[in-house]
C-alpha cells in the first residue's frame, strides 16, 4: 500500500474545512450498485455546514455588510449554527442563533460552550408566525445595530460553497464517474450547488432527494402536489416550504423516508461501517439504499454523512429515547406496559445499602428525579429528590451523602399492575406521585406524567 504524505500543519481550523474523505460502503444490500459516502462529519465543526458558514460570512465581509464586531444572526436547526460558530469565533464576530425546540441537547450545549447566544423557539408553528424560527431571527436582526441576518435559505453564498467545493471534490474522488448523488434539503444549498455543478460537467448524474416523511418536498417532486406539512424527528432536513435556494428542478427522483427507517439506518451505519452519523445521515443512506436496490444495472452512487452522531447520543443512539418516540417495533398490549420504555434490565435503580451520593449521581446521569430501590431484584422502596434533599438537610455533618438509601427512601408504595388500563394512572398523578408498575411482584418500571404525554402525542 502506498502511503500518502501527511499535509503540513494548518494555520487555523478554517483551513481544515472541506477536502473530506470518501468511503465505499460494504455490508449493505446495494443491489447491483456501488455506494460511497462522503464523510462531511470530518469537518472541524462536525458537519457539512462548515462549508457554507465560511462562504456566507466571507461573502458578507466582501460586500461590506459585515463590519468588524458586527453581530451575526441566523435561524438554524443546529448544524449551520455550529458551522457559523466555528467561523465566527475565529473571526471575532458575536453570534445569535434562533433554534427550534426539537434540536438535540448536545448541539445547544456545544453552541453555548462557544459563547453563542442561543434563543430557543417553538417547532410547532409555520412560516409567518412571529415565533417561527426564521421570522424570529429576522426580527431580532432588525433590532440589533450592525447585525447581519445570514439567512441560509436565500443566501447565494450557500449553494455556491457546494458548487465550488463539495461537488468538485466528489467528482475528483470518484474519478469523473458518478451516476447519482443522494442529498437532503434543509436550506437547499447542497442540492442546488452540487446539482448545478453536475448539470454542467456530467449531465447524466442524477440528483436524488432524501426527505423525511412529513416534509412537503418529496411529494412535490414525485406528484407535483403541495401537501400539508406533517412532523418529523430527523433534524436538519425536510421543510414545510420550498426555500429560495432549493432548485427542485434538478431532482430526478425523491424518496420520503419515515423517521423509524432513518433512525434504524443511522444505527446500522455505525454497526456495519463504524461511522457515527446524525439522524439526517440515516435519511440519506436509507434513500440511497432504496435507489441502489431499484437499479437494474451497475451504478456508482454517492451520498453524504452530513454530520457527526456525537450530537445525537441522547436521541438517535439512546434506546430509551427511540422507544419513547415510538421509533421501534414493539408489541402493543393496550395497557400500562405500552408506556414503559425501559426494560427491567435497562431501568436506572439503586440498592438499599447504596449511599445517597450514589443515588444523587444516578439521578443526575439519567436525568430523572426518582429511583426505584431494589433489593435482590425486589422492589422495596422509592427515593426521589424530596427524600434526598430532606435527608441531606437533616444531617449537618460531612457525612450527609454517605447515608444509606434505606434511611431516606419511601417504603410505603402505591403500585399498579402491568395489565391495568391507562386511566389507572390518573389518581396516581393527582396525588403528585409517580406510577410504579409491577407484573405480579416483579418490578417493570416507572411511569411519569411526561411518559403519558409522550404516549398520547404518538397516538394523536
Amino acid at each position: 500500500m502506498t502511503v500518502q504524505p501527511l499535509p503540513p500543519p494548518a494555520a487555523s481550523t478554517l483551513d481544515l474545512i472541506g477536502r473530506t474523505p470518501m468511503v465505499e460502503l460494504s455490508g449493505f444490500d446495494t443491489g447491483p450498485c456501488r455506494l460511497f459516502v462522503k464523510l462531511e462529519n470530518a469537518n472541524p465543526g462536525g458537519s457539512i455546514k462548515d462549508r457554507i458558514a465560511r462562504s456566507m460570512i466571507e461573502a458578507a465581509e466582501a460586500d461590506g455588510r459585515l463590519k468588524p464586531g458586527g453581530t451575526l444572526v441566523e435561524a438554524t436547526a443546529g448544524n449551520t449554527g455550529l458551522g457559523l460558530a466555528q467561523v465566527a469565533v475565529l473571526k471575532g464576530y458575536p453570534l445569535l442563533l434562533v433554534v427550534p425546540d426539537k434540536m438535540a441537547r448536545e448541539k445547544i450545549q456545544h453552541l453555548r460552550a462557544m459563547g453563542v447566544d442561543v434563543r430557543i423557539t417553538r417547532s410547532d408553528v409555520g412560516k409567518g408566525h412571529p415565533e417561527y424560527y426564521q421570522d424570529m431571527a429576522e426580527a431580532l436582526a432588525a433590532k440589533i445595530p450592525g447585525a447581519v441576518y445570514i439567512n441560509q435559505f436565500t443566501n447565494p453564498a450557500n449553494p455556491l460553497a457546494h458548487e465550488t467545493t463539495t461537488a468538485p471534490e466528489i467528482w475528483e474522488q470518484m474519478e469523473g464517474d458518478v451516476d447519482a448523488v443522494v442529498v437532503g434539503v434543509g436550506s437547499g444549498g447542497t442540492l442546488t450547488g452540487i446539482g448545478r455543478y453536475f448539470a454542467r460537467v456530467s449531465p447524466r448524474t442524477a440528483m436524488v432527494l432524501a426527505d423525511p416523511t412529513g416534509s412537503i418536498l418529496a411529494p412535490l417532486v414525485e406528484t407535483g402536489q403541495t401537501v400539508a406539512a406533517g412532523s418529523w424527528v430527523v433534524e436538519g432536513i425536510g421543510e414545510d416550504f420550498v426555500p429560495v435556494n432549493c432548485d427542485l428542478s434538478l431532482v430526478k427522483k425523491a424518496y420520503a423516508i419515515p423517521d423509524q427507517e432513518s433512525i434504524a439506518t443511522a444505527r446500522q451505519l455505525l454497526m456495519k461501517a463504524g461511522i457515527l452519523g446524525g439522524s439526517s445521515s440515516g435519511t440519506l443512506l436509507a434513500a440511497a439504499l432504496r435507489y441502489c436496490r431499484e437499479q437494474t444495472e451497475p451504478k456508482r452512487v454517492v451520498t453524504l454523512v452530513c454530520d457527526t452522531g456525537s450530537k445525537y447520543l441522547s436521541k438517535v443512539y439512546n434506546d430509551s429515547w427511540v422507544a419513547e418516540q415510538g421509533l421501534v417495533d414493539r408489541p402493543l398490549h393496550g395497557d400500562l406496559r405500552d408506556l414503559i420504555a425501559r426494560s427491567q434490565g435497562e431501568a436506572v435503580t439503586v440498592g438499599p445499602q447504596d449511599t445517597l451520593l450514589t443515588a444523587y449521581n444516578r439521578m443526575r446521569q439519567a436525568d430523572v428525579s426518582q429511583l426505584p430501590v431494589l433489593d435482590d431484584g425486589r422492589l422495596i422502596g422509592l427515593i426521589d429528590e424530596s427524600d434526598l434533599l430532606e435527608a441531606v438537610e437533616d444531617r449537618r455533618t460531612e457525612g450527609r451523602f454517605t447515608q444509606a438509601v434505606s434511611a431516606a427512601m419511601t417504603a410505603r408504595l402505591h403500585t399498579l399492575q402491568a395489565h391495568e388500563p391507562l386511566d389507572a394512572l390518573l389518581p396516581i398523578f393527582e396525588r403528585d406521585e409517580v406510577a410504579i408498575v409491577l407484573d405480579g411482584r416483579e418490578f417493570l418500571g416507572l411511569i411519569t406524567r411526561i411518559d403519558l404525554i409522550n404516549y398520547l402525542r404518538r397516538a394523536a
Side-chain angles (χ1 to χ4, degrees):
M1 181 179 69
T2 302
V3 178
Q4 297 295 326
L6 291 170
S12 82
T13 54
L14 294 180
D15 297 330
L16 300 177
I17 295 174
R19 304 298 294 175
T20 55
M22 182 92 74
V23 175
E24 181 173 5
L25 293 185
S26 58
F28 290 85
D29 176 8
T30 58
C33 301
R34 296 175 68 186
L35 178 58
F36 304 82
V37 290
K38 188 163 174 59
L39 302 182
E40 289 299 298
N41 57 337
N43 280 300
S47 87
I48 192 171
K49 298 295 189 176
D50 285 12
R51 296 177 184 268
I52 70 169
R54 181 177 61 181
S55 177
M56 293 187 297
I57 289 176
E58 291 179 351
E61 290 174 327
D63 65 21
R65 288 180 298 132
L66 182 58
K67 310 291 186 186
T71 299
L72 297 166
V73 180
E74 180 60 332
T76 173
N79 285 322
T80 298
L82 288 165
L84 288 169
Q86 190 76 22
V87 179
V89 164
L90 294 176
K91 287 179 172 282
Y93 298 114
L95 177 61
L96 186 157
L97 297 175
V98 180
V99 303
D101 56 18
K102 74 173 186 176
M103 185 198 284
R105 184 188 340 175
E106 290 91 342
K107 290 183 184 178
I108 295 172
Q109 291 171 331
H110 187 163
L111 289 168
R112 287 181 170 155
M114 298 183 78
V116 176
D117 181 356
V118 180
R119 310 287 179 89
I120 300 174
T121 190
R122 295 165 62 179
S123 59
D124 63 342
V125 292
K127 197 167 177 62
H129 191 285
E131 293 184 75
Y132 186 65
Y133 72 133
Q134 293 170 41
D135 294 271
M136 187 172 171
E138 186 172 10
L140 286 168
K143 297 177 182 177
I144 301 172
V148 174
Y149 177 36
I150 290 293
N151 196 0
Q152 62 181 309
F153 298 91
T154 63
N155 195 319
N158 173 355
L160 184 64
H162 297 296
E163 186 175 358
T164 57
T165 69
T166 318
E169 289 174 27
I170 293 172
W171 185 243
E172 177 185 340
Q173 288 168 307
M174 296 296 291
E175 300 179 323
D177 186 6
V178 187
D179 293 294
V181 181
V182 182
V183 299
V185 164
S187 63
T190 307
L191 165 66
T192 301
I194 295 177
R196 285 174 181 168
Y197 179 87
F198 279 102
R200 186 170 67 251
V201 304
S202 178
R204 71 178 179 86
T205 301
M207 295 301 297
V208 179
L209 173 62
D211 205 33
T213 299
S215 169
I216 71 166
L217 302 178
L220 186 58
V221 169
E222 290 298 299
T223 69
Q225 302 296 314
T226 300
V227 301
S231 62
W232 56 95
V233 302
V234 167
E235 296 183 34
I237 59 173
E239 281 299 349
D240 53 5
F241 72 106
V242 181
V244 171
N245 272 336
C246 179
D247 186 356
L248 290 178
S249 69
L250 295 166
V251 179
K252 301 290 178 64
K253 177 71 177 174
Y255 297 90
I257 307 296
D259 284 329
Q260 183 171 342
E261 185 177 351
S262 295
I263 301 303
T265 307
R267 293 166 72 116
Q268 288 173 12
L269 181 63
L270 177 59
M271 295 302 296
K272 293 184 177 183
I275 298 171
L276 184 65
S279 56
S280 62
S281 302
T283 307
L284 269 61
L285 179 55
L289 290 169
R290 288 195 195 186
Y291 179 84
C292 288
R293 292 163 188 162
E294 289 176 2
Q295 304 311 302
T296 57
E297 57 186 36
K299 290 187 177 180
R300 289 160 60 87
V301 180
V302 174
T303 192
L304 308 165
V305 176
C306 310
D307 68 347
T308 172
S310 62
K311 301 184 182 77
Y312 305 86
L313 296 178
S314 65
K315 288 189 171 185
V316 175
Y317 299 97
N318 179 342
D319 291 343
S320 297
W321 181 88
V322 172
E324 288 165 0
Q325 297 298 313
L327 298 176
V328 290
D329 293 324
R330 299 177 67 203
L332 296 179
H333 306 282
D335 55 34
L336 297 181
R337 285 173 290 180
D338 297 342
L339 277 72
I340 298 175
R342 297 175 174 88
S343 69
Q344 182 180 352
E346 297 171 327
V348 182
T349 66
V350 70
Q353 300 309 314
D354 287 327
T355 65
L356 295 184
L357 181 60
T358 297
Y360 166 77
N361 286 336
R362 290 182 186 174
M363 286 182 187
R364 287 290 301 275
Q365 184 180 42
D367 194 21
V368 297
S369 58
Q370 64 280 310
L371 294 173
V373 183
L374 300 187
D375 187 9
D376 195 24
R378 185 172 61 89
L379 180 71
I380 62 169
L382 186 75
I383 184 168
D384 64 16
E385 291 171 338
S386 298
D387 299 323
L388 187 56
L389 179 59
E390 183 178 352
V392 297
E393 273 190 329
D394 285 346
R395 180 70 67 88
R396 301 297 180 183
T397 67
E398 292 182 359
R400 56 177 55 171
F401 277 95
T402 62
Q403 301 173 76
V405 166
S406 58
M409 71 182 190
T410 300
R412 296 182 60 184
L413 304 176
H414 298 99
T415 62
L416 297 173
Q417 287 295 314
H419 59 76
E420 294 189 57
L422 269 59
D423 289 348
L425 294 170
L426 301 181
I428 299 287
F429 294 157
E430 287 172 0
R431 295 196 299 266
D432 289 327
E433 297 178 3
V434 62
I436 304 166
V437 183
L438 307 178
D439 184 6
R441 298 185 62 185
E442 179 186 355
F443 171 71
L444 288 189
L446 303 178
I447 299 176
T448 65
R449 286 185 177 89
I450 195 62
D451 294 324
L452 179 58
I453 292 169
N454 284 339
Y455 177 84
L456 295 175
R457 183 189 62 78
R458 293 197 306 269

